[in-house]
Structure formats: C-alpha cells, structure tokens
Amino acid sequence: MGTEQAAEDADAMRADSLAREIFTGVADKWSLLIIEVLRDRTLRFTELRAEVAGISHKMLTQTLRRLERDGVVHRTVHPTVPPRVEYRLTDAGRSLRDTVNGMCAWSRTHLDEIEASRHRFDEQQHA
Amino acid sequence: MGTEQAAEDADAMRADSLAREIFTGVADKWSLLIIEVLRDRTLRFTELRAEVAGISHKMLTQTLRRLERDGVVHRTVHPTVPPRVEYRLTDAGRSLRDTVNGMCAWSRTHLDEIEASRHRFDEQQHA
DNA sequence: CGGTATCCCTCCCGATACTG
DNA sequence: CAGTATCGGGAGGGATACCG
C-alpha cells in the first residue's frame, strides 16, 4: 500500500507539472491573440498575419506550430499552386477560446478602472 | 455630425488599442501564475516566491508592481521590523482570476488529449 | 524581510533571403 | 502563398550585492 500510495503521488506530481507546462505554453501573448482572432472562423496564413497586427512572419509560424502540436488549432493544406493553408480551432481550441474571451472581456470592462488605477499609482510614486 | 462620428471612431480605436495593451500586459506566464496562486489568500512576498516555483526575486517584484499599478493586486505594508508586506487580489483581480482558473482547468482536463496530440504530431514529423 | 541596483548573458524575435 | 534557415541586436530575466 505504501508503494501504491507513492506511485499515485508520483503520478499526481507528473500530471501537475505537465499541466503547468501546458498552461505556461499557452499562456503567452501571441498564442492567446491567435486563438482570439480565430474565433469560429477559418483563416489563411496571410489573413491571420493581418488580423493579429504586429506579429512577425516567424513568430506566427512558430506559435501556430506549437498550437497545432498541442491540438489547439487544425491545419489544412490544399495541395494547389500557389499553396493554400487554412487554420481553424479544434474542439479543444474552442473550449480554450471561451476562457480567452473572458480575459478580453475583462480588459474591456475594466478599461477605465485600470487607467484610473495607473494614474493614482504614478502620482504616488512622484510624491 | 461627420466630425462627431469621427470623434466616436477615434475614441473606439483608442479604447481598442488600450484594451489590447492591457490584455497583452496581463496575458503573460508570470502574471497569470501569480494571480492563480493568490486565489482568495493573502500572501507575503517570500510565500509568494515559494508558491510560484521558478520565478526569480526580480521577476516577482517586477510583475507584482505591474499588477499593483493596474489595480489587480493590493499591496499592504506593515511598518514593522522586519517589514511585512502582504499581497492579495483586488475585486478586479478576483474577476480576472475566474477566467485564469478556466485556463488552468482547461490545462488539466485536456492533459491526456494534448499529450496524445503531441505524440501524433512528433511521429508525423519523422516520417 | 522586502526592495533596488548593477552586471551580464541568454534567447527571443525581427529582418532578410531562399525553396517548393 | 507558405515555410525554413540564418544572423544579429536588444530586451528579458537571472545572479549577486547592498539598502531600509
């Protein structure tokens, strides 16, 4: 029993660290912005690049690869010439998007409050 | 009217970019982890540092300052010796935490699915 | 104990160029 | 059009030391 308990604990720890790794992998600026703009649409690489605003060619491919690998976005390659590659959220991606939407909504609803807080804070510093 | 409409548009654009700035300011690994571990507790600097696991002294202060400035965390200094500084989430912080919790939950519930997706992806690459 | 400052180095990310 | 490779600058972030 002692050993069984130890094995369970080890599993729990592995799961925890994996969960944290997944969380921190997804919890970054570009990933979240991509998930946000994809919504329930299907976008091509160039369209995505235009929508995200500020992301470089390289960062977009890098981030899309990670998201694809984690099964958050689905990538469809149409073997035409010129090539046509389309990205859309998977089911898992859509469920993640729902929480990202919450963060976006938070940013918008707390806009004025945050601006005010910043001004207060900056004044305190000068005093 | 033309000019009124233009002014409204300008305001909307300002609000949008500010919202995006706030979003990307908060949407980073360390900020979200701090918000997550604070939950509804009050923690001291050192406790926080122990809980977040992996964060450096410098990053913790930096991130806490940003969160304090944005009115997400509240900082209480007890003028004792040695000093005692406590951090807790503000109301705004707690509402943000709810969405962060969603992301954490997502990481945990999709653990196996993501691991499987990664294995599939990695095999494809070798072929 | 908590915060600030300094140094220093890593690696992130953008710019550019080339392939299919 | 989409992706890969390479390179270089610069910010991010760690380690250390020192103040209050």
Short mmCIF file of all heavy atoms in Angstrom, two decimals, chain A residues 18-71:
data_model
loop_
_atom_site.label_atom_id
_atom_site.label_comp_id
_atom_site.label_asym_id
_atom_site.label_seq_id
_atom_site.Cartn_x
_atom_site.Cartn_y
_atom_site.Cartn_z
N LEU A 18 3.07 18.70 -15.74
CA LEU A 18 2.67 18.72 -17.15
C LEU A 18 1.59 19.78 -17.36
O LEU A 18 1.64 20.53 -18.34
CB LEU A 18 2.16 17.34 -17.57
CG LEU A 18 1.81 17.17 -19.05
CD1 LEU A 18 3.01 17.58 -19.92
CD2 LEU A 18 1.39 15.75 -19.36
N ALA A 19 0.64 19.83 -16.44
CA ALA A 19 -0.43 20.82 -16.54
C ALA A 19 0.17 22.23 -16.52
O ALA A 19 -0.23 23.10 -17.29
CB ALA A 19 -1.43 20.66 -15.41
N ARG A 20 1.14 22.44 -15.66
CA ARG A 20 1.78 23.75 -15.57
C ARG A 20 2.54 24.06 -16.86
O ARG A 20 2.52 25.18 -17.34
CB ARG A 20 2.73 23.81 -14.37
CG ARG A 20 3.58 25.07 -14.32
CD ARG A 20 3.92 25.50 -12.93
NE ARG A 20 2.76 25.82 -12.14
CZ ARG A 20 2.79 26.35 -10.92
NH1 ARG A 20 3.95 26.65 -10.37
NH2 ARG A 20 1.69 26.62 -10.26
N GLU A 21 3.17 23.06 -17.40
CA GLU A 21 3.93 23.26 -18.65
C GLU A 21 2.97 23.62 -19.78
O GLU A 21 3.23 24.52 -20.58
CB GLU A 21 4.71 21.98 -18.97
CG GLU A 21 5.69 22.11 -20.13
CD GLU A 21 5.09 21.59 -21.40
OE1 GLU A 21 4.28 20.65 -21.35
OE2 GLU A 21 5.42 22.15 -22.45
N ILE A 22 1.85 22.93 -19.85
CA ILE A 22 0.85 23.24 -20.87
C ILE A 22 0.29 24.64 -20.66
O ILE A 22 0.17 25.43 -21.60
CB ILE A 22 -0.29 22.20 -20.82
CG1 ILE A 22 0.21 20.86 -21.36
CG2 ILE A 22 -1.48 22.68 -21.61
CD1 ILE A 22 -0.76 19.72 -21.15
N PHE A 23 -0.01 24.94 -19.42
CA PHE A 23 -0.55 26.26 -19.09
C PHE A 23 0.39 27.37 -19.52
O PHE A 23 0.00 28.30 -20.23
CB PHE A 23 -0.80 26.34 -17.58
CG PHE A 23 -1.29 27.67 -17.11
CD1 PHE A 23 -2.63 28.00 -17.21
CD2 PHE A 23 -0.41 28.59 -16.57
CE1 PHE A 23 -3.09 29.23 -16.78
CE2 PHE A 23 -0.86 29.83 -16.14
CZ PHE A 23 -2.20 30.15 -16.24
N THR A 24 1.66 27.26 -19.14
CA THR A 24 2.60 28.32 -19.48
C THR A 24 2.92 28.34 -20.98
O THR A 24 3.31 29.36 -21.51
CB THR A 24 3.91 28.18 -18.69
OG1 THR A 24 4.50 26.92 -18.97
CG2 THR A 24 3.67 28.30 -17.20
N GLY A 25 2.73 27.20 -21.64
CA GLY A 25 2.96 27.18 -23.07
C GLY A 25 1.88 27.94 -23.81
O GLY A 25 2.13 28.58 -24.84
N VAL A 26 0.69 27.89 -23.28
CA VAL A 26 -0.47 28.51 -23.92
C VAL A 26 -0.69 29.94 -23.42
O VAL A 26 -1.23 30.77 -24.14
CB VAL A 26 -1.71 27.62 -23.65
CG1 VAL A 26 -2.89 28.43 -23.23
CG2 VAL A 26 -2.01 26.80 -24.88
N ALA A 27 -0.23 30.19 -22.21
CA ALA A 27 -0.46 31.50 -21.60
C ALA A 27 0.58 32.51 -22.05
O ALA A 27 1.32 33.04 -21.24
CB ALA A 27 -0.44 31.37 -20.08
N ASP A 28 0.65 32.75 -23.33
CA ASP A 28 1.51 33.83 -23.78
C ASP A 28 0.76 34.67 -24.78
O ASP A 28 -0.20 34.23 -25.42
CB ASP A 28 2.81 33.27 -24.35
CG ASP A 28 2.76 33.10 -25.84
OD1 ASP A 28 1.93 32.28 -26.31
OD2 ASP A 28 3.51 33.78 -26.56
N LYS A 29 1.18 35.90 -24.83
CA LYS A 29 0.60 36.94 -25.67
C LYS A 29 0.16 36.46 -27.06
O LYS A 29 -1.02 36.54 -27.39
CB LYS A 29 1.67 38.03 -25.80
CG LYS A 29 1.33 39.22 -26.63
CD LYS A 29 2.55 40.15 -26.63
CE LYS A 29 2.47 41.22 -27.70
NZ LYS A 29 3.67 42.08 -27.73
N TRP A 30 1.09 35.94 -27.84
CA TRP A 30 0.77 35.61 -29.22
C TRP A 30 -0.21 34.46 -29.34
O TRP A 30 -1.15 34.51 -30.14
CB TRP A 30 2.05 35.31 -30.01
CG TRP A 30 2.96 36.48 -30.17
CD1 TRP A 30 4.30 36.53 -29.88
CD2 TRP A 30 2.63 37.80 -30.66
NE1 TRP A 30 4.81 37.78 -30.16
CE2 TRP A 30 3.82 38.57 -30.64
CE3 TRP A 30 1.46 38.39 -31.11
CZ2 TRP A 30 3.85 39.90 -31.05
CZ3 TRP A 30 1.49 39.72 -31.52
CH2 TRP A 30 2.67 40.45 -31.49
N SER A 31 -0.01 33.42 -28.54
CA SER A 31 -0.93 32.28 -28.59
C SER A 31 -2.36 32.74 -28.32
O SER A 31 -3.29 32.41 -29.05
CB SER A 31 -0.55 31.25 -27.53
OG SER A 31 0.74 30.75 -27.78
N LEU A 32 -2.52 33.52 -27.28
CA LEU A 32 -3.86 33.94 -26.89
C LEU A 32 -4.48 34.87 -27.94
O LEU A 32 -5.67 34.77 -28.23
CB LEU A 32 -3.82 34.63 -25.52
CG LEU A 32 -3.39 33.72 -24.37
CD1 LEU A 32 -3.44 34.45 -23.04
CD2 LEU A 32 -4.28 32.48 -24.33
N LEU A 33 -3.66 35.74 -28.53
CA LEU A 33 -4.19 36.62 -29.56
C LEU A 33 -4.64 35.83 -30.78
O LEU A 33 -5.68 36.10 -31.38
CB LEU A 33 -3.15 37.67 -29.96
CG LEU A 33 -2.97 38.83 -28.98
CD1 LEU A 33 -1.83 39.75 -29.41
CD2 LEU A 33 -4.27 39.64 -28.88
N ILE A 34 -3.84 34.84 -31.16
CA ILE A 34 -4.20 34.00 -32.31
C ILE A 34 -5.51 33.27 -32.04
O ILE A 34 -6.42 33.26 -32.87
CB ILE A 34 -3.09 32.99 -32.61
CG1 ILE A 34 -1.88 33.70 -33.22
CG2 ILE A 34 -3.59 31.90 -33.55
CD1 ILE A 34 -0.68 32.81 -33.43
N ILE A 35 -5.61 32.67 -30.86
CA ILE A 35 -6.85 31.96 -30.50
C ILE A 35 -8.03 32.92 -30.54
O ILE A 35 -9.11 32.60 -31.04
CB ILE A 35 -6.71 31.34 -29.10
CG1 ILE A 35 -5.70 30.19 -29.15
CG2 ILE A 35 -8.05 30.85 -28.58
CD1 ILE A 35 -5.28 29.69 -27.79
N GLU A 36 -7.80 34.13 -30.06
CA GLU A 36 -8.87 35.12 -30.02
C GLU A 36 -9.36 35.50 -31.43
O GLU A 36 -10.56 35.54 -31.67
CB GLU A 36 -8.37 36.37 -29.28
CG GLU A 36 -9.34 37.53 -29.24
CD GLU A 36 -10.62 37.21 -28.49
OE1 GLU A 36 -10.62 36.21 -27.76
OE2 GLU A 36 -11.61 37.96 -28.65
N VAL A 37 -8.44 35.78 -32.33
CA VAL A 37 -8.86 36.23 -33.67
C VAL A 37 -9.41 35.08 -34.51
O VAL A 37 -10.17 35.32 -35.44
CB VAL A 37 -7.73 36.95 -34.45
CG1 VAL A 37 -7.17 38.10 -33.65
CG2 VAL A 37 -6.66 35.99 -34.87
N LEU A 38 -9.04 33.86 -34.20
CA LEU A 38 -9.55 32.74 -34.98
C LEU A 38 -11.05 32.52 -34.74
O LEU A 38 -11.79 32.14 -35.63
CB LEU A 38 -8.79 31.45 -34.66
CG LEU A 38 -7.61 31.13 -35.57
CD1 LEU A 38 -6.98 29.81 -35.21
CD2 LEU A 38 -8.04 31.12 -37.05
N ARG A 39 -11.46 32.77 -33.48
CA ARG A 39 -12.88 32.59 -33.13
C ARG A 39 -13.44 31.30 -33.74
O ARG A 39 -12.87 30.24 -33.53
CB ARG A 39 -13.71 33.78 -33.64
CG ARG A 39 -13.18 35.09 -33.11
CD ARG A 39 -13.87 36.25 -33.77
NE ARG A 39 -12.93 37.36 -33.88
CZ ARG A 39 -13.26 38.61 -34.18
NH1 ARG A 39 -14.51 38.91 -34.40
NH2 ARG A 39 -12.34 39.54 -34.26
N ASP A 40 -14.51 31.43 -34.56
CA ASP A 40 -15.05 30.24 -35.21
C ASP A 40 -14.83 30.31 -36.72
O ASP A 40 -15.55 29.72 -37.50
CB ASP A 40 -16.54 30.08 -34.89
CG ASP A 40 -17.29 31.38 -35.10
OD1 ASP A 40 -16.65 32.38 -35.49
OD2 ASP A 40 -18.51 31.42 -34.88
N ARG A 41 -13.79 31.08 -37.08
CA ARG A 41 -13.50 31.26 -38.50
C ARG A 41 -12.39 30.34 -38.97
O ARG A 41 -11.67 29.75 -38.18
CB ARG A 41 -13.08 32.71 -38.76
CG ARG A 41 -14.11 33.72 -38.33
CD ARG A 41 -13.67 35.10 -38.70
NE ARG A 41 -12.58 35.58 -37.85
CZ ARG A 41 -11.99 36.78 -38.00
NH1 ARG A 41 -12.39 37.58 -38.99
NH2 ARG A 41 -11.03 37.16 -37.20
N THR A 42 -12.25 30.25 -40.26
CA THR A 42 -11.11 29.57 -40.87
C THR A 42 -10.31 30.62 -41.60
O THR A 42 -10.81 31.31 -42.47
CB THR A 42 -11.58 28.50 -41.87
OG1 THR A 42 -12.30 27.50 -41.17
CG2 THR A 42 -10.40 27.87 -42.57
N LEU A 43 -9.06 30.79 -41.21
CA LEU A 43 -8.24 31.84 -41.81
C LEU A 43 -6.97 31.27 -42.43
O LEU A 43 -6.42 30.28 -41.97
CB LEU A 43 -7.86 32.87 -40.75
CG LEU A 43 -9.00 33.75 -40.20
CD1 LEU A 43 -8.46 34.73 -39.17
CD2 LEU A 43 -9.70 34.49 -41.34
N ARG A 44 -6.53 31.93 -43.49
CA ARG A 44 -5.28 31.55 -44.14
C ARG A 44 -4.14 32.23 -43.41
O ARG A 44 -4.34 33.17 -42.63
CB ARG A 44 -5.29 32.00 -45.60
CG ARG A 44 -6.44 31.42 -46.37
CD ARG A 44 -6.38 31.84 -47.81
NE ARG A 44 -5.12 31.40 -48.44
CZ ARG A 44 -4.86 31.59 -49.72
NH1 ARG A 44 -5.73 32.21 -50.49
NH2 ARG A 44 -3.71 31.18 -50.23
N PHE A 45 -2.95 31.76 -43.67
CA PHE A 45 -1.76 32.29 -43.01
C PHE A 45 -1.68 33.82 -43.12
O PHE A 45 -1.52 34.51 -42.11
CB PHE A 45 -0.51 31.66 -43.62
CG PHE A 45 0.77 32.05 -42.95
CD1 PHE A 45 1.22 31.35 -41.83
CD2 PHE A 45 1.52 33.12 -43.41
CE1 PHE A 45 2.40 31.70 -41.20
CE2 PHE A 45 2.70 33.48 -42.78
CZ PHE A 45 3.14 32.78 -41.67
N THR A 46 -1.82 34.32 -44.32
CA THR A 46 -1.69 35.76 -44.55
C THR A 46 -2.80 36.56 -43.89
O THR A 46 -2.57 37.64 -43.35
CB THR A 46 -1.69 36.06 -46.06
OG1 THR A 46 -0.89 35.08 -46.72
CG2 THR A 46 -1.14 37.43 -46.33
N GLU A 47 -4.01 36.01 -43.91
CA GLU A 47 -5.13 36.68 -43.26
C GLU A 47 -4.88 36.78 -41.76
O GLU A 47 -5.09 37.81 -41.13
CB GLU A 47 -6.42 35.90 -43.52
CG GLU A 47 -6.85 35.90 -44.98
CD GLU A 47 -7.94 34.88 -45.27
OE1 GLU A 47 -8.14 33.95 -44.45
OE2 GLU A 47 -8.59 35.01 -46.31
N LEU A 48 -4.40 35.66 -41.21
CA LEU A 48 -4.09 35.60 -39.79
C LEU A 48 -3.04 36.66 -39.45
O LEU A 48 -3.16 37.40 -38.46
CB LEU A 48 -3.54 34.21 -39.48
CG LEU A 48 -3.84 33.51 -38.16
CD1 LEU A 48 -5.21 33.84 -37.64
CD2 LEU A 48 -3.67 32.02 -38.33
N ARG A 49 -2.04 36.75 -40.29
CA ARG A 49 -0.95 37.71 -40.07
C ARG A 49 -1.48 39.13 -40.06
O ARG A 49 -1.04 39.96 -39.26
CB ARG A 49 0.10 37.54 -41.17
CG ARG A 49 1.32 38.37 -41.02
CD ARG A 49 2.52 37.66 -41.62
NE ARG A 49 3.56 38.54 -42.14
CZ ARG A 49 4.26 39.40 -41.42
NH1 ARG A 49 4.02 39.53 -40.14
NH2 ARG A 49 5.20 40.14 -41.98
N ALA A 50 -2.42 39.40 -40.91
CA ALA A 50 -3.00 40.75 -40.99
C ALA A 50 -3.87 41.03 -39.76
O ALA A 50 -3.84 42.13 -39.22
CB ALA A 50 -3.85 40.88 -42.25
N GLU A 51 -4.60 40.02 -39.32
CA GLU A 51 -5.53 40.21 -38.21
C GLU A 51 -4.82 40.40 -36.87
O GLU A 51 -5.30 41.13 -36.00
CB GLU A 51 -6.47 39.00 -38.10
CG GLU A 51 -7.46 38.86 -39.23
CD GLU A 51 -8.76 39.58 -38.94
OE1 GLU A 51 -9.01 39.91 -37.77
OE2 GLU A 51 -9.51 39.82 -39.90
N VAL A 52 -3.71 39.70 -36.69
CA VAL A 52 -3.08 39.73 -35.37
C VAL A 52 -2.36 41.05 -35.12
O VAL A 52 -2.24 41.50 -33.99
CB VAL A 52 -2.14 38.53 -35.16
CG1 VAL A 52 -1.35 38.67 -33.89
CG2 VAL A 52 -2.97 37.26 -35.12
N ALA A 53 -1.90 41.71 -36.16
CA ALA A 53 -1.38 43.06 -36.03
C ALA A 53 -0.16 43.15 -35.13
O ALA A 53 -0.27 43.24 -33.92
CB ALA A 53 -2.46 44.02 -35.52
N GLY A 54 1.01 43.14 -35.76
CA GLY A 54 2.23 43.30 -35.00
C GLY A 54 3.06 42.04 -34.93
O GLY A 54 4.23 42.07 -34.56
N ILE A 55 2.46 40.91 -35.26
CA ILE A 55 3.20 39.65 -35.20
C ILE A 55 4.06 39.50 -36.44
O ILE A 55 3.66 39.90 -37.54
CB ILE A 55 2.25 38.45 -35.04
CG1 ILE A 55 3.04 37.22 -34.59
CG2 ILE A 55 1.50 38.18 -36.34
CD1 ILE A 55 2.16 36.05 -34.18
N SER A 56 5.26 38.95 -36.27
CA SER A 56 6.16 38.75 -37.40
C SER A 56 5.84 37.41 -38.06
O SER A 56 5.24 36.53 -37.46
CB SER A 56 7.60 38.76 -36.93
OG SER A 56 7.89 37.60 -36.20
N HIS A 57 6.29 37.30 -39.29
CA HIS A 57 6.13 36.08 -40.06
C HIS A 57 6.61 34.88 -39.23
O HIS A 57 5.91 33.89 -39.07
CB HIS A 57 6.97 36.20 -41.33
CG HIS A 57 6.79 35.09 -42.31
ND1 HIS A 57 6.42 35.30 -43.61
CD2 HIS A 57 6.93 33.76 -42.18
CE1 HIS A 57 6.34 34.15 -44.24
NE2 HIS A 57 6.66 33.19 -43.39
N LYS A 58 7.78 35.01 -38.69
CA LYS A 58 8.40 33.92 -37.95
C LYS A 58 7.61 33.53 -36.70
O LYS A 58 7.35 32.36 -36.46
CB LYS A 58 9.81 34.34 -37.54
CG LYS A 58 10.58 33.26 -36.84
CD LYS A 58 11.95 33.77 -36.46
CE LYS A 58 12.74 32.76 -35.66
NZ LYS A 58 14.08 33.29 -35.32
N MET A 59 7.25 34.52 -35.89
CA MET A 59 6.51 34.23 -34.67
C MET A 59 5.18 33.57 -34.97
O MET A 59 4.73 32.71 -34.22
CB MET A 59 6.28 35.53 -33.89
CG MET A 59 7.40 35.92 -32.98
SD MET A 59 7.97 34.56 -31.96
CE MET A 59 6.52 34.29 -30.95
N LEU A 60 4.55 33.98 -36.06
CA LEU A 60 3.27 33.39 -36.41
C LEU A 60 3.43 31.91 -36.72
O LEU A 60 2.69 31.08 -36.17
CB LEU A 60 2.65 34.13 -37.61
CG LEU A 60 1.27 33.65 -38.02
CD1 LEU A 60 0.30 33.69 -36.85
CD2 LEU A 60 0.72 34.48 -39.17
N THR A 61 4.40 31.55 -37.55
CA THR A 61 4.61 30.13 -37.84
C THR A 61 4.98 29.36 -36.59
O THR A 61 4.42 28.30 -36.31
CB THR A 61 5.72 29.92 -38.89
OG1 THR A 61 6.81 30.75 -38.59
CG2 THR A 61 5.22 30.21 -40.27
N GLN A 62 5.89 29.88 -35.82
CA GLN A 62 6.32 29.22 -34.59
C GLN A 62 5.13 28.94 -33.67
O GLN A 62 4.94 27.81 -33.20
CB GLN A 62 7.31 30.10 -33.83
CG GLN A 62 8.75 29.86 -34.17
CD GLN A 62 9.68 30.65 -33.27
OE1 GLN A 62 9.27 31.17 -32.24
NE2 GLN A 62 10.95 30.75 -33.66
N THR A 63 4.36 29.98 -33.42
CA THR A 63 3.24 29.84 -32.49
C THR A 63 2.18 28.90 -33.05
O THR A 63 1.64 28.06 -32.32
CB THR A 63 2.62 31.21 -32.20
OG1 THR A 63 3.66 32.13 -31.86
CG2 THR A 63 1.66 31.13 -31.03
N LEU A 64 1.93 29.00 -34.35
CA LEU A 64 0.94 28.11 -34.96
C LEU A 64 1.40 26.66 -34.84
O LEU A 64 0.58 25.77 -34.57
CB LEU A 64 0.74 28.48 -36.44
CG LEU A 64 -0.13 29.71 -36.69
CD1 LEU A 64 -0.12 30.08 -38.16
CD2 LEU A 64 -1.56 29.43 -36.22
N ARG A 65 2.68 26.39 -35.00
CA ARG A 65 3.20 25.02 -34.87
C ARG A 65 2.92 24.49 -33.46
O ARG A 65 2.45 23.38 -33.28
CB ARG A 65 4.71 24.99 -35.13
CG ARG A 65 5.13 25.03 -36.54
CD ARG A 65 4.69 23.80 -37.34
NE ARG A 65 4.80 24.10 -38.77
CZ ARG A 65 3.92 24.81 -39.44
NH1 ARG A 65 2.83 25.29 -38.84
NH2 ARG A 65 4.09 25.06 -40.71
N ARG A 66 3.24 25.29 -32.48
CA ARG A 66 3.02 24.84 -31.10
C ARG A 66 1.55 24.54 -30.86
O ARG A 66 1.18 23.52 -30.28
CB ARG A 66 3.48 25.92 -30.10
CG ARG A 66 4.89 25.78 -29.60
CD ARG A 66 4.98 26.06 -28.10
NE ARG A 66 3.99 27.01 -27.61
CZ ARG A 66 4.13 28.33 -27.65
NH1 ARG A 66 5.21 28.87 -28.15
NH2 ARG A 66 3.17 29.10 -27.19
N LEU A 67 0.70 25.45 -31.32
CA LEU A 67 -0.73 25.27 -31.12
C LEU A 67 -1.24 24.05 -31.88
O LEU A 67 -2.12 23.33 -31.41
CB LEU A 67 -1.49 26.53 -31.57
CG LEU A 67 -1.23 27.78 -30.72
CD1 LEU A 67 -1.96 28.98 -31.30
CD2 LEU A 67 -1.66 27.55 -29.28
N GLU A 68 -0.67 23.81 -33.06
CA GLU A 68 -1.07 22.65 -33.85
C GLU A 68 -0.62 21.37 -33.13
O GLU A 68 -1.38 20.42 -32.99
CB GLU A 68 -0.44 22.70 -35.24
CG GLU A 68 -0.91 21.58 -36.15
CD GLU A 68 -0.04 21.44 -37.38
OE1 GLU A 68 0.91 22.23 -37.54
OE2 GLU A 68 -0.28 20.50 -38.17
N ARG A 69 0.60 21.39 -32.65
CA ARG A 69 1.15 20.23 -31.94
C ARG A 69 0.32 19.89 -30.71
O ARG A 69 0.09 18.72 -30.43
CB ARG A 69 2.60 20.52 -31.53
CG ARG A 69 3.33 19.31 -30.98
CD ARG A 69 4.82 19.57 -30.78
NE ARG A 69 5.19 19.64 -29.39
CZ ARG A 69 5.72 18.61 -28.69
NH1 ARG A 69 5.96 17.48 -29.28
NH2 ARG A 69 6.01 18.75 -27.43
N ASP A 70 -0.14 20.90 -30.02
CA ASP A 70 -0.94 20.67 -28.82
C ASP A 70 -2.41 20.39 -29.14
O ASP A 70 -3.22 20.23 -28.24
CB ASP A 70 -0.86 21.89 -27.89
CG ASP A 70 0.49 21.94 -27.17
OD1 ASP A 70 1.31 21.03 -27.37
OD2 ASP A 70 0.72 22.91 -26.42
N GLY A 71 -2.73 20.37 -30.43
CA GLY A 71 -4.10 20.07 -30.81
C GLY A 71 -5.08 21.19 -30.51
O GLY A 71 -6.26 20.94 -30.26
#
